[in-house]
Amino acid sequence: MESKMEASVNELVGGYRFAVGNDVVYLPDFAHSCTDLFKKKVFTASEIAYCDQFEDAMLRYASTWAAKEAVYKAVKQLDEAPLPFMAIEITRNKIAGKPTATIHRPIGERVNISLTISHDGDLAWAVALAQTI
């Protein structure tokens, strides 16, 4: 039997499923592992172009990596199919603008992703909320 709280939550979400993913990146450690080979394996050409336009490109790579990890963690809770990092693309609507995540492969259900990225000092982090639609 469903509790009152469960019934209230089910009424609010209307049958949608949600999942949250997050990631924190420590910049000094990330800088050692962010080699050219790593960049080619996990970042799309547009992500590389975005990050490289900044004087502090490593911070942009770290925050984009945190975003990709957060999206991966959220989506994998809703769809267990393989999801390579190159299939997750993080874009912004303008320089330092609102981040958007696009999944470049079919997934079992359509997923809407809300994403936020932040950084302070030596840390970059991201949180993604995925919702089936």
Side-chain angles (χ1 to χ4, degrees):
M1 177 171 220
E2 189 174 64
S3 72
K4 285 184 180 181
M5 180 177 276
E6 289 172 320
S8 295
V9 168
N10 287 335
E11 184 178 322
L12 285 171
V13 300
Y16 292 111
R17 294 188 314 146
F18 296 88
V20 175
N22 72 83
D23 195 60
V24 176
V25 174
Y26 181 60
L27 284 162
D29 289 347
F30 180 79
H32 291 295
S33 62
C34 190
T35 63
D36 288 338
L37 180 60
F38 177 80
K39 290 177 190 177
K40 288 178 185 176
K41 285 186 173 188
V42 301
F43 295 111
T44 66
S46 65
E47 290 169 333
I48 291 170
Y50 176 82
C51 294
D52 283 345
Q53 71 181 318
F54 293 92
E55 186 176 321
D56 58 349
M58 193 54 61
L59 172 61
R60 307 307 169 150
Y61 278 108
S63 60
T64 302
W65 175 245
K68 284 169 128 1
E69 282 275 7
V71 168
Y72 177 87
K73 291 171 183 175
V75 170
K76 289 299 283 182
Q77 292 176 64
L78 301 173
D79 185 341
E80 294 181 3
L83 180 60
F85 285 107
M86 287 293 282
I88 303 168
E89 186 168 37
I90 308 301
T91 56
R92 283 89 169 167
N93 60 349
K94 61 182 178 177
I95 292 179
K98 178 184 180 234
T100 301
T102 303
I103 307 296
H104 295 290
R105 73 148 177 87
I107 54 178
E109 298 181 67
R110 290 193 56 218
V111 176
N112 184 32
I113 300 168
S114 179
L115 177 63
T116 184
I117 302 171
S118 192
H119 49 83
D120 186 22
D122 285 341
L123 298 174
W125 62 93
V127 175
L129 173 66
Q131 172 193 17
T132 59
I133 51 177

